[in-house]
Structure formats: C-alpha cells, structure tokens
Amino acid sequence: MLYFAPWKTVLVVLVTLAGLITAAPNLLTRQQHEALPSWMQLPQVNLGLDLRGGAHLLLEVDTSAVLRERLEAVVEGAREELRKERIGYTNLSIVGGNSVGLRLRDPSQAERARPLLAKLGQPVQGGAFSLGAQQTDLQLEISPEGVVRMTLSEVAVRERARSAVAQSMEIVRRRIDQTGVNEPTIQVQGSDRILVQLPGVDDPDRIKRLLGTTAKLTFRMVDTTADPNGPPPPGTEILEGDKPRLANAPVERYVVRRKVEVAGDNLVDAQAGYDQRTGQPVVNFRFDSTGAKRFAEVTQQAVGLPFAIVLDNKVLSAPVIREPILGGSGQISGNFSVVEANDLAVLLRAGALPAPLKVIEERVVGPDLGADAIRAGIIATIIGFVLVNLFMIAAYGLFGVFAVIAVAVNLVLILGILSSMQATLSLPGIAGILLTIGMAVDANVLINERIREEYKLGKSVVASLDAGFNRAFSTILDSNLTTLIAMAILFAVGSGPVRGFAVAISIGILTSMFTAILGVRLMMVLWLRATRAKALAV
C-alpha cells in the first residue's frame, strides 16, 4: 500500500489540472469569454433550450407536393414525346392525386404511344433493395378506346415521401448551420414531421422564414408572344413577380414556360454582394460544370429574349439576355435589402427543399425561465454536495474528507469534459450531474467499509488499506459497468434531453471511478507516509 507508481501520481495531477483548466471558462459569462484573446477562448458548455431559451418548432413535410411535382413532370414529358411523334391526344392532365390521364385521338396509335410513355417512368429504390431498372414508378394502362392512365405505384409513393422527409431534414440542418446557431436539435418525429430546437435564438421569425421557404430556384424562358392577362398557352403558366418594381405599382405578371432550362440543383455557391453599377444588394451565384454548360447553351440560343429567374413560383427578375453567358456564373437582382440578399444566399447554398414545410407547433422559451432553472439546478447541486459531504465526514472522519475532495474533483472533471466536448447541457443533464454526486461516493463507501472490516479482523493499517482497495475494486467495477450498459441503451434509444442525461451519468461514472480508485488512494498513501499511523479510528 505504501507503494504508488510515480506515473500514477503524475497522471492524477495532470488530469486534475486539465479538468480545472477546461472547466474554468464556464465561470465567465459569454461576453467575458468572447472578450478574451483567441488563444485563451477554451470551449464552454452549451446550454440547452430549457436553460438558455430559444425556439422550438415542429415542422410538417407536405409530401403531397413531391408527388404532384413528379406528376407534373410526367405531364410535360408526355406532351413533348407525343408531339414529337405527331400522336394526337386530348385531356392531358393530373387525375386524382397519383395519376396522369389522357385520351388518344386515334386509338390505333396506342402501340406507338406505349413505349414513348413507358420511358417516362423512373427506376424505384424500394427501401433497402432495388426493384431493378425494369420496375419503374409508373404503371401504364391503355384501354382499347385509347384512354391512357399512368399511375404512381404504392412503392414509389412511399419511397418519395420517405426520401422527401430525409432530404428536408438534411437541408433544414444545412440552413440552420449557415445561421450560426450552436448545438441545434434536429430530428424526425413520426413519418412526416421534423422537430427543430434552437437554443439562444433571439429572432425565431427569421428562422421560420428560412425554414418555411422552399427555395426552389429555376431558370425558365419567358413567352413574349402571350398575353399575361389572358389564359396561358399550353406548356406555360402565369407567374407574378416577387415584388413591384416601384412603390404602389402593381406586381408584374409573366407568361413563363413550364420547361426548366437550368435548375438550381446545379448551383455550387451563392454569396450576397452589391451591384457595381447601382450599388444595390444582389446575390452572385456559380454553377457546377454541368449547369455552366447548360446555362451557356441556353443563353447562346436565347440572345435578345427575356430569361426568368424563378424562386418558389415567384419571378425574382426577367432580364433580357444581351450576350451568351459562358463563365457559369451570374447575378440575381430584385430590389433586395441586405438581410434579404443574405437570407437568399443562405437558402441557395443550402439547397432547395423537396417539399414545403408547415409550422404546426411553435414555442419560444424565454431566457428568464432558463435562468430560474439554472439557479434551481445549482442550488440543488450545492445542497446535495453538502449533505453527501457531511455524511461522509461524519461516518468516516479523515477518510470521509478524502472522499469529499474526490467528489469535488469529480465535479470539476465532469464539467471539464462536457466543455471539451462542447456538449449541450439541459435540465436532465443537470439532474444527471446531481445524481452522480451521490453515485460518486458509492465507491468510497465500499472501500472504507472494506477497510474497516479488514482492520477489525486484526490486520495492520497498511494491510487493511491494501485489502480494502483490492477487494472492493471488483464490486465497484461490476456496479458501474452495469450502469454504463444501461446508459448506453438509454443513449441509443433516447433522443434530445434523454441522451443528455445518459451522457452526464456516463461521464460521471468514469470520472468517479478515476477519483475513487486513483485519487483517493493517492491521498491515503500520502497521509500514511506522512503520519506512519499505527491504528485506525473505526
């Protein structure tokens, strides 16, 4: 027992110092922390929504819009293919919520039309396995009378809805990351809902605007021969401008072709800037190689014609192409403010949502509530710490003091590790830390009781201390290991605050084992070497 390896002494000292250094920044306010030199700005623990305040949003993905978009693409594809082969048809439209229908003028042309319409189908990925290239999302039926029905299969409907939710969550995450929110919680709830929690957000309306905007950018030709106040010709639609050019003026209307010449999917960058001629805020964008090539082709073929830049079915601008644009980059102007230009750049960089999002639940948690929760948590932690320490000192005297020091070091290590991980601390996390205070002394209780038993059997002080640690170790390891397994399961199946609780408990168990097995043992060794005690007060 008198021997304690020097490397273990160094380890205990270094770990304790590291814990003190990494935990210290949490004593500063965020303003004080940001005022420090950059090399001194060690991470702080992030406070969760319930402590720091912020926004809680529950979003619903409109999966029906994804299906409608696919059906509209089928309508345009059928129109183009049949006209190319000069096959007459009538009543081409979306039927119900999952089909496209039409009637052939000449039923005898059904066999010519079948392969043309069949190739409009797309291969379906049915969950974890592919249905193969021969299985497409469209089921084609042609009656003897020439009535054609193209229906989305059930597998295609399910897969598109699942994909839309997964893609929406990823794009929501990208958009929020662009705004600089720390430690957001973003997760799927149910089959078509996304939960978003944003700690510290002081402008939830801006976040709602960012998340509620689909940001589907397309570049389409304007039909200058059609009257925007009359019925649109086939293959076109009437869209309004994003905002009037002049104050109190009506919003302009445009006849825009449905065919998308270049999609926003090909954008690789978008940055807010200023027009060098007018000084107005604009958004500069850049295409990838595929988009740049297509953009060059379109602008070469459409010199002198207006080219509409459409965002979510609103025309941002419709400039006339003066000359081919071959560099793969361009500029979007639309009487933007600086904030609007920045937000549009964020949306375009993050990508378009596959379907609109609807806010079905919204809560804003004020920082006052969080401050009250922090105060209550601190008070509960102090009371628990004091009561546990009084018990340990009353029950075990000097060895109880060693346990008290170990618990204090344990708290410092927990806070230091959470800071280094930049973990988010919520009320359940504080409860977990409070619980670890009681759990941290369990190992010391086992060790001290074992030392008493060995000493009462007539062993010397050194032998009693040595046996106490050695024989209690297996019990300490088993009990903590079972708790760690339970916390691992809780972390795997839980979410949000539940995971925070599991993380806090797990870290507390590991640090308590370190402080009890190595820290307390080091203190007892130093005491024994200094006093050469011949008896124990039991």
Side-chain angles (χ1 to χ4, degrees), residues 105-128:
R105 294 184 187 276
D106 184 359
S108 65
Q109 293 183 316
E111 292 309 312
R112 283 183 59 204
R114 186 181 296 276
L116 299 175
L117 299 176
K119 70 180 183 181
L120 298 176
Q122 297 177 350
V124 179
Q125 293 291 330

Side-chain angles (χ1 to χ4, degrees), residues 148-168:
V148 179
R149 191 73 171 257
M150 292 173 284
T151 306
L152 289 175
S153 65
E154 291 184 7
V155 173
V157 171
R158 288 197 304 269
E159 179 61 19
R160 285 187 178 275
R162 184 203 62 78
S163 177
V165 173
Q167 188 179 351
S168 296

Side-chain angles (χ1 to χ4, degrees), residues 377 380-381 425-437 439 500-501 504-505:
T381 302
L425 185 63
S426 59
L427 278 176
I430 291 180
I433 293 174
L434 180 59
L435 188 57
T436 57
I437 293 176
M439 297 173 64
F501 177 79
I505 293 289

Side-chain angles (χ1 to χ4, degrees), residues 371-506:
D372 292 341
I374 292 174
R375 280 194 295 271
I378 291 175
I379 292 172
T381 302
I382 292 174
I383 292 174
F385 183 75
V386 170
L387 291 178
V388 168
N389 291 345
L390 290 176
F391 169 78
M392 291 300 294
I393 294 172
Y396 302 108
L398 180 61
F399 288 177
V401 173
F402 294 159
V404 168
I405 296 173
V407 171
V409 173
N410 184 51
L411 285 174
V412 170
L413 293 181
I414 292 173
L415 193 57
I417 292 173
L418 289 174
S419 300
S420 301
M421 294 170 57
Q422 289 190 285
T424 299
L425 185 63
S426 59
L427 278 176
I430 291 180
I433 293 174
L434 180 59
L435 188 57
T436 57
I437 293 176
M439 297 173 64
V441 297
D442 287 349
N444 293 286
V445 170
L446 289 171
I447 292 169
N448 289 334
E449 288 297 329
R450 197 67 186 179
I451 290 173
R452 279 182 172 179
E453 291 176 4
E454 297 296 330
Y455 188 71
K456 288 179 179 179
L457 291 175
K459 293 184 179 181
S460 66
V461 173
V462 173
S464 298
L465 294 176
D466 198 36
F469 274 94
N470 292 336
R471 295 188 178 182
F473 177 76
S474 60
T475 305
I476 295 170
L477 182 63
D478 289 345
S479 62
N480 285 328
L481 187 59
T482 54
T483 307
L484 280 175
I485 292 172
M487 292 302 106
I489 295 173
L490 198 62
F491 183 85
V493 302
S495 62
V498 175
R499 284 188 166 190
F501 177 79
V503 169
I505 293 289
S506 300

Side-chain angles (χ1 to χ4, degrees), residues 227-371:
D227 181 7
N229 297 313
T236 66
E237 61 181 329
I238 296 177
L239 299 180
E240 293 185 343
D242 180 53
K243 59 180 69 172
R245 291 188 179 181
L246 301 174
N248 301 321
V251 176
E252 289 192 61
R253 292 160 60 89
Y254 302 85
V255 181
V256 180
R257 299 193 183 277
R258 290 183 180 273
K259 181 183 178 183
V260 175
E261 301 293 347
V262 188
D265 298 342
N266 297 116
L267 287 177
V268 293
D269 190 28
Q271 298 291 338
Y274 294 92
D275 191 305
Q276 295 181 353
R277 295 170 300 172
T278 65
Q280 293 294 318
V282 296
V283 176
N284 299 305
F285 62 87
R286 182 165 53 88
F287 287 112
D288 59 17
S289 58
T290 302
K293 180 180 178 181
R294 179 59 185 158
F295 197 58
E297 291 174 354
V298 172
T299 54
Q300 282 177 328
Q301 298 168 3
V303 172
L305 297 176
F307 196 35
I309 303 173
V310 182
L311 180 72
D312 293 344
N313 290 325
K314 294 285 186 180
V315 178
L316 297 181
S317 60
V320 175
I321 300 173
R322 301 299 181 190
E323 58 185 12
I325 303 173
L326 307 178
S329 60
Q331 187 182 90
I332 302 174
S333 59
N335 296 326
F336 302 127
S337 66
V338 174
V339 173
E340 288 172 339
N342 283 324
D343 286 350
L344 179 56
V346 167
L347 293 171
L348 297 182
R349 285 198 302 271
L353 289 166
L357 295 179
K358 178 183 178 183
V359 179
I360 61 174
E361 181 183 337
E362 176 186 1
R363 293 202 304 270
V364 178
V365 180
D368 292 340
L369 179 61

